[in-house]
Amino acid sequence: MRTLLLGLDGTCHPVLDPLLDDGLLPTLESVFERSVTGALTSQLPPWTPSAWPSLYTGVNPGKHGVYGFLRFDGYDYDVVDATDVRAHSLWELLDYHDKSSVVVNVPVTAPASEIDGAVIPGYVSPEDPPGHPEGILDDVREAIGEYSVYGPMDTPGEAELGDIAAHTRTRGDAFAYLVDRFDPDFGFLEFQQTDTVFHRRPTDEAAIECVFSSVDDAVATALEAADPDNVVVVSDHGIGEYNGYEIRVNECLRDWDLLEATAGGEGMPSWDAIARRRLQRGESGEKPSPGVLERGVSLLASVGVTSQRIEAVLEPLGLAEFVASVAPTDAVRAGTEQVDFPASQAYMRDRIELGVRLNVAGREPDGVVGPDEYDAVRDTVIERFSALEDPDGRPVFEAVFPREDVFEGPYVEDAPDVVVVPREFENFLNGSLLGERFGTPRESWNHKRDGLVAATGPDIDGDESLADAHLFDIAPTVLATLGVPRSDLMDGRPLSVVDPTPAETYPDYEDSGRATRDDHEVADRLAHLGYLDES
């Protein structure tokens, strides 16, 4: 193998360095000791479903089209997949130059593209994703035993450390099997649990050490199988403590008379309901008929007895958590006050996007903001959030932008109209209506802007610096190590540690050679991890 790209989701030097210093990661330590290393600045938004596509295409979301976990069609939505990434991946460009690849567990790669080699999709795919070639996942399971896209920490309940370690090591085993079978020029192996552990168990040192030590074992397996000339280690973003506030963006918009609320189940449905009814069981996307309990709770909500008000009564009595644990999710949703999207001027749809969308007439089905009002309403949103201060008198956001100041390309129209950047990424965004603008972050750890990059091998100049390395630079850098020209559409450039290859004009991207998505069981996992608001 000429080049192996290792992806450690959500990993940054403040997280990794103490583990290296304690001698817990001998394989990664040996790689880093030989490498030139540095911080890797992520994009906006610095979250898995958009950041990994940006890394493996070398272009910003305005050119590939994915901004978060969701795609939107009017007020409807669905979980994104690889058909939404409308730019060439680096393994597709390698295939164009007759070089083969093995790609394992990389997010947003299902359904897989047809290349010389193999693709086993990762995060944001169904549990049994359509890989390439057809039947390859079955072959992997037959060769190594159990292999699953999602791990023990991705589902509710307290996962055992042994199960976590075994799941993580299967990544290395699957990769080694595929390398032996396909003998590729390029390999890409990603680990998602390095991020998940900080969302689920951020203060559990045993769990953190378990995840990273098992990743180290899997990396050792991959290195032994591939014997690569070059090794590049990257992360899509960093992670760390959130010491600020939870910012209820839609509550702010409601206070500013830009958002309307509704009760009785007519707003955004819960992702638990979507996953169980439409995605896991293969039912249609139509709104399911409510049951008797749901209709009753919905009627109460319509006269003001909402789930939020009930919780406010139960909380001082110590009963809120118990009632939440036994109440059916659909019934809670039916009684929850929610955003009335058609009636609102502005709203946050998906907090992962870091943005606010306007309800524009002629663009949304029931838009209320006329095209001649667009600039004025958007300017108002920008001014309000730019001036917003937390209860301590500090600015909530370090920047608030119109979308065209952040993104460039043919898919800018798919972006939120306003992009908000939390101050030092210490404030947690929430789109739910909870009665107050500010609260305690629901997660004590979350994403930061700086990840990491390390590179070693004969095509890497160890005397050069990785200062100012950006997420978009990884794809052209990897291509350079294989002597393949980068696309002239890429926003990134080869890092100074490699001899750059020239830019080339490739054929227009076409969504061909991909299977049609026919199943998703992913939305409930995303809600469980806190990525999607449940009301």
Side-chain angles (χ1 to χ4, degrees):
M1 183 179 291
R2 187 62 180 171
T3 300
L4 170 61
L5 180 60
L6 294 170
L8 308 181
D9 198 286
T11 303
C12 51
H13 284 288
V15 165
L16 191 66
D17 289 351
L19 298 169
L20 293 171
D21 292 341
D22 289 343
L24 298 174
L25 312 176
T27 305
L28 285 171
E29 183 179 2
S30 69
V31 172
F32 275 75
E33 284 178 345
R34 304 192 308 270
S35 298
V36 54
T37 65
L40 183 67
T41 301
S42 191
Q43 62 162 33
L44 293 174
W47 262 269
T48 291
S50 182
W52 282 113
S54 293
L55 182 146
Y56 67 63
T57 62
V59 303
N60 82 94
K63 290 181 180 177
H64 65 64
V66 175
Y67 295 91
F69 282 110
L70 308 178
R71 73 163 76 89
F72 296 105
D73 180 12
Y75 308 119
D76 200 6
Y77 48 89
D78 204 346
V79 178
V80 299
D81 66 11
T83 64
D84 298 294
V85 182
R86 289 161 284 183
H88 294 295
S89 66
L90 64 90
W91 52 92
E92 290 169 334
L93 298 183
L94 289 170
D95 184 71
Y96 184 78
H97 285 275
D98 299 319
K99 294 189 181 296
S100 58
S101 302
V102 162
V103 180
V104 173
N105 201 51
V106 176
V108 202
T109 55
S113 54
E114 295 181 359
I115 59 167
D116 181 6
V119 180
I120 301 293
Y123 208 57
V124 197
S125 78
E127 184 59 85
D128 294 303
H132 172 78
E134 185 176 354
I136 191 63
L137 185 56
D138 292 335
D139 293 347
V140 166
R141 287 170 173 163
E142 183 177 349
I144 72 168
E146 184 177 351
Y147 182 95
S148 61
V149 171
Y150 298 96
M153 289 189 296
D154 294 311
T155 54
E158 189 72 6
E160 297 293 333
L161 297 184
D163 294 335
I164 294 171
H167 166 80
T168 304
R169 293 189 186 107
T170 61
R171 277 42 185 152
D173 295 336
F175 187 80
Y177 164 76
L178 294 171
V179 166
D180 181 64
R181 175 170 165 178
F182 292 93
D183 190 23
D185 300 295
F186 168 68
F188 190 176
L189 173 60
E190 193 264 5
F191 298 91
Q192 191 66 36
Q193 298 299 292
T194 50
D195 173 87
T196 304
V197 69
F198 287 104
H199 287 289
R200 301 300 303 145
R201 297 160 78 163
T203 62
D204 187 339
E205 292 186 9
I208 294 167
E209 292 178 1
C210 172
V211 166
F212 279 88
S213 63
S214 55
V215 165
D216 197 72
D217 292 341
V219 170
T221 300
L223 290 174
E224 182 178 0
D227 189 22
D229 297 328
N230 305 296
V231 179
V232 180
V233 184
V234 295
S235 59
D236 57 333
H237 55 77
I239 205 157
E241 281 192 89
Y242 272 37
N243 296 312
Y245 287 87
E246 179 170 285
I247 314 301
R248 284 83 180 256
V249 172
N250 284 330
E251 283 289 5
C252 295
L253 292 169
R254 175 160 64 169
D255 285 351
W256 300 332
D257 296 324
L258 293 168
L259 180 145
E260 299 295 329
T262 185
E266 294 302 320
M268 177 83 83
S270 80
W271 278 96
D272 180 74
I274 294 172
R276 287 189 294 101
R277 286 180 167 157
R278 181 159 63 92
L279 303 178
Q280 287 183 319
R281 300 202 303 222
E283 295 182 7
S284 73
E286 297 178 356
K287 182 180 176 181
S289 300
V292 174
L293 179 58
E294 293 170 65
R295 290 195 295 270
V297 174
S298 178
L299 179 61
L300 289 173
S302 68
V303 295
V305 186
T306 63
S307 297
Q308 289 98 329
R309 291 192 176 185
I310 294 171
E311 181 181 18
V313 174
L314 295 174
E315 186 70 41
L317 302 176
L319 297 175
E321 185 174 348
F322 169 74
V323 171
S325 69
V326 299
T329 300
D330 291 340
V332 174
R333 181 191 67 81
T336 299
E337 190 176 37
Q338 302 174 52
V339 177
D340 188 339
F341 295 105
S344 299
Q345 296 181 67
Y347 37 71
M348 172 173 279
R349 290 297 304 265
D350 175 5
R351 68 177 184 84
I352 300 303
E353 293 183 320
L354 298 183
V356 173
R357 293 176 178 268
L358 303 191
N359 187 25
V360 180
R363 188 180 75 181
E364 276 67 48
D366 299 305
V368 298
V369 177
D372 57 337
E373 302 173 294
Y374 178 87
D375 288 337
V377 173
R378 188 168 71 159
D379 287 346
T380 296
V381 172
I382 292 172
E383 291 168 6
R384 289 281 195 168
F385 281 117
S386 296
L388 183 64
E389 295 183 343
D390 66 22
D392 300 323
R394 297 174 298 175
V396 167
F397 300 107
E398 61 185 50
V400 183
F401 298 109
R403 63 185 178 186
E404 60 271 17
D405 285 3
V406 180
F407 308 114
E408 183 270 325
Y411 306 112
V412 172
E413 291 295 315
D414 294 332
D417 298 275
V418 176
V419 179
V420 296
V421 184
R423 186 190 70 248
E424 299 180 357
F425 280 87
E426 290 197 341
N427 289 324
F428 183 93
L429 304 187
N430 189 338
S432 298
L433 294 176
L434 300 171
E436 301 289 340
R437 293 189 192 182
F438 303 102
T440 301
R442 67 169 62 180
E443 294 184 31
S444 59
W445 281 60
N446 217 293
H447 295 196
K448 301 287 187 179
R449 189 75 186 273
D450 284 342
L452 59 77
V453 58
T456 182
D459 294 299
I460 306 297
D461 186 346
D463 294 328
E464 290 290 331
S465 170
L466 285 174
D468 302 321
H470 192 279
L471 193 76
F472 303 153
D473 299 330
I474 298 304
T477 299
V478 169
L479 291 173
T481 67
L482 288 122
V484 171
R486 67 187 185 274
S487 168
D488 58 4
L489 296 177
M490 286 182 172
D491 296 305
R493 294 294 180 268
L495 294 167
S496 62
V497 297
V498 298
D499 292 330
T501 50
E504 178 178 310
T505 300
Y506 286 87
D508 291 341
Y509 175 80
E510 294 182 4
D511 184 23
S512 59
R514 295 185 191 270
T516 301
R517 178 181 57 187
D518 58 6
D519 180 42
H520 263 307
E521 63 214 16
V522 66
D524 59 336
R525 302 180 191 275
L526 300 180
H528 168 66
L529 288 172
Y531 284 126
L532 300 179
D533 295 325
E534 296 216 27
S535 61

